[in-house]
Amino acid sequence: MDQSATQAVTETNDRAVAEAAPTALRSDHRAPDRLVLQRGIFTGPSAKINDELYAVVTRGRAQRGRLTLRLDKGATVHTNTYFGRFAAAYWQRWTTVTEVQVTLVLDVAAAARLRLVASDIAGHRRIVDSIEVSASGPVSLGAKLDQYVDGGALWVEADAVGGALGITELTWSAAAPERMRPVAIAICTFNRAADCAETVAALASDPAVLAAIDAVYVVDQGTDLVEERPRYREVRPVLGEKLRYIRQPNLGGAGGFTRGLYEVSAVNEHADVILMDDDILCEPETVLRLNAFANLTVEPTLVGAQMLFLLNPDYLNVGAEEVHLDRLMHGQKVAKALRNTSMLKKNQERRVDAGYNAWWTCLIPAEVVAKIGLPLPIFFQWDDVEYGVRAREHGFVTVTLPNAAVWHADFYWKDYDDWARYFSTRNSLIVGALHTDLDGRKIGRQLFRNIAEQLVAMQYGLVHTTLQGIEDFLRGPTILRDGGIEALAQARGQRADYPETIKHPAATPPVPAAQIAVQRASGEPSRALLVLIKRAIGQWTGRTRPGLVGITREDAYWWHVSLFDHVVVTDASQSGVRIRQRDKARARALLIRTLRVLRRLRRELPALQEQYRAAAPELTSRENWERLYGIRR
């Protein structure tokens, strides 16, 4: 960003800071007698979403609206679906709720049968309440939450008997707390203006959700401005006084989301902030469910939404995640949690407890910010992990709530060989150093193994990016002084020196296309280390298969790619190809650099851990973030 642009952002930023927070955010609100925990939704926010994620018509025909359903005579429907279920196990374990009531407003032509059904940890079905109805109007079913600690859910079944049946409202409710906590949405965006505008519009589209939230902060760090998009301007009057738009320099996801936490926690010490990605497909009902759950937890709790895949919208990413700090591995599936599972075919019966929740959509109470400070200025990657780990160390748990989700870009459509690997490597070491006693020898061996696999796969740019991350970790906490702006430029810029990092059109690669012969992989080796040594020797001595070889994304394992010396590999995004070619001189230089860097890491790790831990309070302070934001008080 040039000097004039930076000055413009700073001036705009100062005006935004001076603007008072929305009035509704400044105080707690009186609660109704009963709090709506979730609503019956019958169709999704987009035509690409399967309606059977919401309700399934098992017999006959039905006409769906967003909040209404009309069954023809003889039809049957159930809500034993992803968004239709009530996660009884989670509500019993983490909240003060002891009973739940389901209220339906019916339009009955002749008669209807309604059942409130429960499952247990094994998915066994049992009816807990039922009623036969012959007149239109509201009816209620109820259940105690006293048999669901380890697992189980509730749902509704309805039969249209003798005539049509209309469901014009379906709500799950419980006794409300005395006061309702204010809640704000904070959306971080960088040059995804159209996506962000649609996310804001989704929040504005639902009157109940709009009434429940007190503020929406859009933190724009880009040059393609959200405020200039027609869609944003169209919905701005709907949000009215609740909408706040802030511009600031690009400080990554960490800087954007932290701005929301910074602004809201300064206004009300009992407010909640729902962090939300800009490029999701937003299910507004998820906001209502997270907010209701957070208002009824026994203690202030981080409440996360689950992630469904945007390109494969029936599929759940993972039921709950944890981190293995000693191995620098995040995104690890909690035991017994579902992963990459079609939610049309399977439900999550078992309660699984999360170690943290990613920030595609996650609610954070102001009490957490008051006690543990703001996130680390590590730009992006591992910022959400670190904050969840730090919160747990201070007694705040994270609950990843089933049946509350947004759709986010599928991770496996993103290529691993990317500049983001710099931040992932560097930040994993920083978070590990802060929150566990890393074993330098063990970590060194693990990193060497990873780099060795990348070298034999001819991913020299990826090795360079990984080493950049380790080398900058070795520089100590001063690398975080600017919030990641310089690191971003270097990580992206230097990759251009490595030809295999460049993506080419599949139809016109800079190699003779007619000579590309696709070679499929055989099974994964049973003795991977021995195969790695063998492949390394082959690459080093040139005992590789000659000719130009094409390799599909699904076969692009190191143990297959390393058989060849010139390969055309499909990019994970399926939008092009990358070309890798054996380069012994480059591999040798990177290997020597790797050995030197890992030797330093083993030697200096104990002192670095002390340095990062000593610097953490200042790095996560409001004063440090004010400096990064350019806020003048």
Side-chain angles (χ1 to χ4, degrees):
M1 184 179 293
D2 60 34
Q3 186 174 357
S4 60
T6 301
Q7 182 178 355
V9 168
T10 301
E11 290 174 354
T12 303
N13 177 65
D14 289 340
R15 289 196 298 271
V17 170
E19 188 177 0
T23 305
L25 196 56
R26 295 183 174 276
S27 60
D28 294 358
H29 314 307
R30 178 176 293 278
D33 292 335
R34 296 190 66 82
L35 178 62
V36 173
L37 311 181
Q38 68 179 56
R39 298 171 299 171
I41 308 291
F42 300 106
T43 189
S46 166
K48 68 178 66 174
I49 305 305
N50 194 317
D51 286 340
E52 292 196 351
L53 285 172
Y54 295 86
V56 175
V57 179
T58 55
R59 185 174 66 243
R61 295 185 302 176
Q63 297 78 49
R64 298 173 186 257
R66 175 72 173 159
L67 297 169
T68 62
L69 181 71
R70 186 166 184 83
L71 300 174
D72 289 355
K73 176 182 176 181
T76 297
V77 68
H78 70 74
T79 65
N80 186 21
T81 62
Y82 182 80
F83 285 107
R85 289 159 62 92
F86 178 79
Y90 289 76
W91 288 89
Q92 182 178 345
R93 170 64 181 88
W94 297 110
T95 75
T96 58
V97 176
T98 57
E99 57 79 31
V100 63
Q101 179 176 295
V102 185
T103 300
L104 301 95
V105 179
L106 304 178
D107 180 7
V108 181
R113 286 194 294 265
L114 302 173
R115 294 174 295 280
L116 183 58
V117 187
S119 63
D120 59 19
I121 194 171
H124 299 136
R125 174 184 180 277
R126 66 184 187 276
I127 297 174
V128 295
D129 198 4
S130 63
I131 189 173
E132 293 196 7
V133 182
S134 58
S136 298
V139 297
S140 294
L141 301 165
K144 292 182 178 180
L145 297 188
D146 58 359
Q147 294 180 301
Y148 305 93
V149 172
D150 288 335
L154 291 160
W155 64 88
V156 173
E157 297 177 352
D159 306 326
V161 182
L165 170 64
I167 302 174
T168 58
E169 184 179 315
L170 192 163
T171 58
W172 300 74
S173 66
E178 183 177 340
R179 308 290 291 179
M180 292 290 292
R181 301 166 62 89
V183 62
I185 309 288
I187 303 171
C188 167
T189 185
F190 175 76
N191 288 348
R192 285 176 171 157
D195 291 336
C196 185
E198 288 298 331
T199 299
V200 175
L203 296 171
S205 69
D206 191 313
V209 172
L210 190 58
I213 57 179
D214 299 299
V216 175
Y217 286 86
V218 176
V219 183
D220 196 337
Q221 304 185 129
T223 53
D224 180 6
L225 300 181
V226 178
E227 66 178 348
E228 295 178 356
R229 292 289 172 142
R231 184 67 167 141
Y232 179 83
R233 292 177 175 177
E234 176 187 332
V235 300
R236 186 167 53 193
V238 179
L239 288 157
E241 200 263 344
K242 295 182 178 183
L243 185 60
R244 292 292 181 269
Y245 184 82
I246 298 174
R247 289 185 62 197
Q248 64 183 34
N250 182 21
L251 295 166
F257 287 128
T258 297
R259 186 59 181 270
L261 295 174
Y262 169 88
E263 295 289 342
V264 176
S265 61
V267 175
N268 191 312
E269 62 183 1
H270 299 298
D272 294 328
V273 184
I274 299 177
L275 307 179
M276 182 176 285
D277 270 348
D278 56 351
D279 59 343
I280 58 171
L281 174 57
C282 177
E283 171 50 80
E285 174 68 13
T286 290
V287 171
L288 187 147
R289 296 181 185 187
L290 297 184
N291 186 43
F293 193 91
N295 270 280
L296 291 165
T297 53
V298 176
E299 300 288 347
T301 300
L302 288 77
V303 188
Q306 294 183 329
M307 172 187 148
L308 297 167
F309 289 132
L310 190 59
L311 293 176
N312 297 278
D314 301 343
Y315 279 75
L316 176 72
N317 173 39
V318 63
E321 293 180 299
E322 61 186 358
V323 58
H324 300 163
L325 290 173
D326 60 330
R327 289 179 281 165
L328 308 181
M329 296 173 66
H330 69 338
Q332 302 303 294
K333 180 176 76 73
V334 172
K336 304 298 183 179
L338 301 179
R339 180 187 282 282
N340 194 21
T341 302
S342 171
M343 302 315 292
L344 298 177
K345 299 177 180 178
K346 193 174 181 66
N347 286 313
Q348 182 177 314
E349 302 291 0
R350 186 184 298 268
R351 195 195 84 243
V352 288
D353 296 338
Y356 72 95
N357 200 92
W359 287 350
W360 43 70
T361 297
C362 183
L363 180 150
I364 299 177
E367 290 89 342
V368 176
V369 179
K371 189 166 185 179
I372 76 172
L374 293 163
L376 279 173
I378 53 179
F379 198 77
F380 89 138
Q381 299 278 353
W382 285 77
D383 46 340
D384 44 11
V385 179
E386 191 279 330
Y387 205 72
V389 170
R390 188 172 9 134
R392 187 171 289 272
E393 289 175 350
H394 286 80
F396 300 103
V397 299
T398 296
V399 175
T400 298
L401 187 63
N403 320 121
V406 296
W407 289 269
H408 186 280
D410 311 31
F411 290 145
Y412 56 84
W413 285 71
K414 298 180 179 181
D415 205 283
Y416 187 88
D417 188 353
D418 183 73
W419 59 266
R421 201 54 44 196
Y422 163 84
F423 288 101
S424 182
T425 302
R426 187 199 71 177
N427 295 349
S428 68
L429 287 163
I430 292 173
V431 176
L434 286 172
H435 296 290
T436 192
D437 292 324
L438 293 175
D439 183 326
R441 291 185 178 276
K442 179 180 176 181
I443 292 299
R445 286 195 299 269
Q446 177 181 318
L447 289 170
F448 182 78
R449 172 67 179 269
N450 295 343
I451 291 171
E453 292 175 359
Q454 295 163 9
L455 281 173
V456 301
M458 298 171 284
Q459 292 179 289
Y460 308 121
L462 179 57
V463 172
H464 167 75
T465 300
T466 302
L467 290 173
Q468 265 189 307
I470 303 171
E471 289 162 347
D472 276 4
F473 168 75
L474 292 170
R475 290 170 58 190
T478 57
I479 60 167
L480 304 179
R481 181 69 184 169
D482 71 346
I485 294 174
E486 179 183 353
L488 172 65
Q490 292 185 357
R492 298 183 70 169
Q494 295 182 18
R495 284 176 58 81
D497 297 335
Y498 296 86
E500 80 281 355
T501 66
I502 300 170
K503 185 169 60 177
H504 306 278
T508 57
V511 292
Q515 297 179 19
I516 301 173
V518 175
Q519 294 286 332
R520 299 304 308 270
S522 55
E524 185 174 353
S526 58
R527 304 179 74 178
L529 180 58
L530 290 178
V531 172
L532 178 58
I533 294 171
K534 182 179 178 180
R535 296 288 193 273
I537 294 172
Q539 284 276 318
W540 189 262
T541 60
R543 293 202 294 268
T544 51
R545 299 182 195 177
L548 196 56
V549 173
I551 297 177
T552 65
R553 171 68 182 88
E554 63 181 332
D555 289 337
Y557 301 105
W558 64 264
W559 42 264
H560 180 57
V561 175
S562 55
L563 289 169
F564 314 100
D565 63 7
H566 199 184
V567 297
V568 179
V569 181
T570 305
D571 190 80
S573 66
Q574 297 293 308
S575 60
V577 296
R578 304 197 195 196
I579 299 171
R580 307 182 199 171
Q581 190 164 16
R582 187 174 70 90
D583 186 334
K584 182 177 177 179
R586 177 155 272 180
R588 183 179 184 275
L590 287 168
L591 177 60
I592 292 172
R593 180 180 165 194
T594 298
L595 294 172
R596 289 173 177 168
V597 168
L598 295 183
R599 190 180 301 119
R600 276 191 64 197
L601 180 65
R602 288 194 298 272
R603 183 174 64 249
E604 299 174 19
L605 186 56
L608 284 163
Q609 290 190 141
E610 292 182 7
Q611 292 173 30
Y612 279 102
R613 292 174 185 180
E618 191 276 329
L619 289 170
T620 60
S621 68
R622 301 185 72 85
E623 292 76 16
N624 186 52
W625 280 106
E626 286 172 353
R627 178 185 63 80
L628 290 169
Y629 295 141
I631 295 175
R632 296 191 292 269
R633 295 296 186 186

